[in-house]
Amino acid sequence: MHAPRFTPETNALVFAAIAHGTMHVFGAYYFTIVLALEQAWDMPYPDLLELWTPAALLIGVAALPMGWLADRWNRAGMIAVAFIGMGGASVAAGLMPAAGSLLLALSVVGLFGAIYHPVGIPWVMRLAPQNPGKAIAINGLFGGVGVALAALTAGGLIDFVGWRAAFMVPGAVSIVLGVVMFMLVGRGRIAEQSDAPGGEDGVTGEGGHMRGAALVLGTGFVGGLVYQSTQAVAPKMFEARLDDLVGGSTLGIGAVVFSIYLLAGLGQLLGGWLADRWSWKRAYLVAWCIHMPMLWIAASAGGPLLVLVVFLITLAGTGAIPAEALLFARYTPARHHGLIFGLRYVLALGAAPLAIQFIAFVLERTGDFAWIYWPLGVAGCLTIAAIVLLPAVKRTTESAAVPMPAPAE
C-alpha cells in the first residue's frame, strides 16, 4: 500500500497553518521580550510597550493593500514573502542598540505581518469548500499555538541566552520557511485556490449584504480590541498578580501564557465544529455570550482564578472566529475577498495600536488592570446586541449536517 501523497491543496493548507502560527509568534513575542528590556535598558514599561505601536498599526492598516495585491498576484507567493520579510526584520530587531532603531525594525515586522490575515484566511476557505468551518478552525488553532509559543520561546530564550536571541532565533526559522515555500510554489507543489466556500447562502432581506458586512466589521473590531488588549497585557498582569506562582521568572510567565493560548486554541476547533452544524449567526452569538462576562470577572481576579478567566476569554474569542469569518465571506462578493478581507483586518487588527495606547494610558494614570477590563466588558455588551441584529442567512443545502472527515484525512 502506498503512503498517502501530499497534494498541492494539502501542502497549501499546511503552509497556511504554519504561516498563521508564525505570524502570531511575531505578533505576540514582544509582550514578553519587553519585560527583559525593562531591565536591560532601564526604561519604564509603558514607554517600551509603545515601541510596538507602529508595528501594530501597520499589521492592521497595511492589510488592505496586501489583500488588494493578493487578488492580482498569487496568494501562496504572498505568504512566502511574509515569512521572509517578518524573519529578516526580526533578526534585525535583535541587533538594534537603542529604542529608536528597535521601533523601526519592529515596524517592518508589522508591515510584513499584515500579509497573512487578508491573504491567508480567504485562501484557506477556498482550499476547503466542503468544510470551511473546519478548515478555518484548524488554521486558527495554529494561530493560537503561535501566540502560545511566542511567550514560551521568548521567555526561555531570554532566561537562557538573552533578549536578542528572542528576536533572532524565530526570525531565522521564518526565513528558512519562506525560502522552502518559494521553492515549492515555483514547482507547482502548492495550490493557489479551489472553489468558493459552501454551507449557507443568500442573505434574507433587502440590503442585507451591506448591513451584515458592516455589522460584522464592527463586531470584528471589538473582538480584535479585546484579543489584542488581553494578549498585550497578560504577561505584565501575570507578573503583578501571579508572583506566588511564577516567582518573577520570565520563563514562568511565558509558560503560563503558553498554556493558556495553547489550550484556548481548541476554541477554534469547537467554533468551527459548531459553525459547520449550527447557523453561523448562532455560533457567533454563543461565543460572545461566554466572552463578555469573563471580561468583568478578570478586572478583579487573581491567582489561579485569573488564569482560568483569561483562558475562558481567549477560548471564547478564538471560538468566535470561524463563524465570524464565514458570515463576512457570505455577506461579501468572493471575487474581491482579498481586498474586502483586507478592509476587515484593517479594522480588526487595527485595534492593536489602540489597545497598546489604551493599556499604556490606563497603567500610567491608575496602575490598575481593572480599568482595562471594565470598558472592554461594556464593548462586549454592545457586540452581543450587534450580533442579534445580523441579517439571517438561509440554508440551501444540507452540507452543515454532513459529518466531517477526521483531521488526518
Side-chain angles (χ1 to χ4, degrees), residues 117-150:
H117 286 93
V119 178
I121 301 302
W123 187 35
V124 168
M125 287 192 295
R126 298 183 73 84
L127 285 165
Q130 299 306 312
N131 292 302
K134 175 188 174 185
I136 294 172
I138 294 174
N139 181 269
L141 179 63
F142 277 78
V145 169
V147 175
L149 285 174

Side-chain angles (χ1 to χ4, degrees), residues 146-360:
V147 175
L149 285 174
L152 185 66
T153 57
L157 287 167
I158 288 166
D159 279 359
F160 294 107
V161 184
W163 67 265
R164 295 186 185 277
F167 281 120
M168 298 176 73
V169 172
V173 171
S174 185
I175 291 171
V176 171
L177 287 169
V179 171
V180 171
M181 189 173 180
F182 259 130
M183 292 171 61
L184 292 174
V185 170
R187 295 174 183 175
R189 299 291 302 276
I190 292 182
E192 168 65 6
Q193 65 184 41
S194 180
D195 300 318
E200 300 190 31
D201 192 24
V203 179
T204 60
E206 200 65 35
H209 283 88
M210 184 176 297
R211 179 162 59 92
L215 286 171
V216 174
L217 284 174
T219 58
F221 174 78
V222 176
L225 181 62
V226 171
Y227 186 88
Q228 298 291 343
S229 297
T230 303
Q231 175 182 279
V233 80
K236 187 64 177 177
M237 186 167 64
F238 291 157
E239 183 183 55
R241 294 188 182 179
L242 300 181
D243 188 59
D244 291 343
L245 292 178
V246 300
S249 165
T250 308
L251 177 59
I253 294 168
V256 173
V257 176
F258 170 81
S259 301
I260 288 173
Y261 280 91
L262 183 66
L263 294 174
L266 297 175
Q268 291 265 18
L269 296 178
L270 178 60
W273 184 84
L274 292 176
D276 283 336
R277 283 160 175 77
W278 290 359
S279 75
W280 298 337
K281 178 177 175 179
R282 181 184 178 191
Y284 196 28
L285 181 61
V286 167
W288 267 99
C289 286
I290 297 170
H291 204 172
M292 186 277 295
M294 292 299 108
L295 293 168
W296 283 338
I297 296 173
S300 57
L305 176 61
L306 176 62
V307 177
L308 175 63
V309 169
V310 173
F311 165 71
L312 291 174
I313 290 171
T314 311
L315 181 76
T318 57
I321 292 172
E324 179 188 297
L326 290 165
L327 281 167
F328 190 66
R330 185 59 68 206
Y331 291 140
T332 55
R335 66 184 180 278
H336 297 308
H337 271 171
L339 179 63
I340 293 170
F341 269 76
L343 175 61
R344 176 185 176 225
Y345 287 107
V346 164
L347 294 177
L349 299 176
L354 179 61
I356 298 299
Q357 293 298 313
F358 171 58
I359 292 167

Side-chain angles (χ1 to χ4, degrees), residues 32-41 48 158 162-163 250:
T32 300
I33 296 172
V34 70
L35 303 180
L37 287 176
E38 279 187 278
Q39 305 298 321
W41 287 355
L48 285 167
I158 288 166
W163 67 265
T250 308

Side-chain angles (χ1 to χ4, degrees), residues 3-28:
R5 184 174 62 89
F6 281 93
T7 66
E9 288 75 19
T10 302
N11 290 337
L13 288 169
V14 168
F15 270 93
I18 294 172
H20 196 194
T22 303
M23 180 269 159
H24 278 285
V25 167
F26 291 120

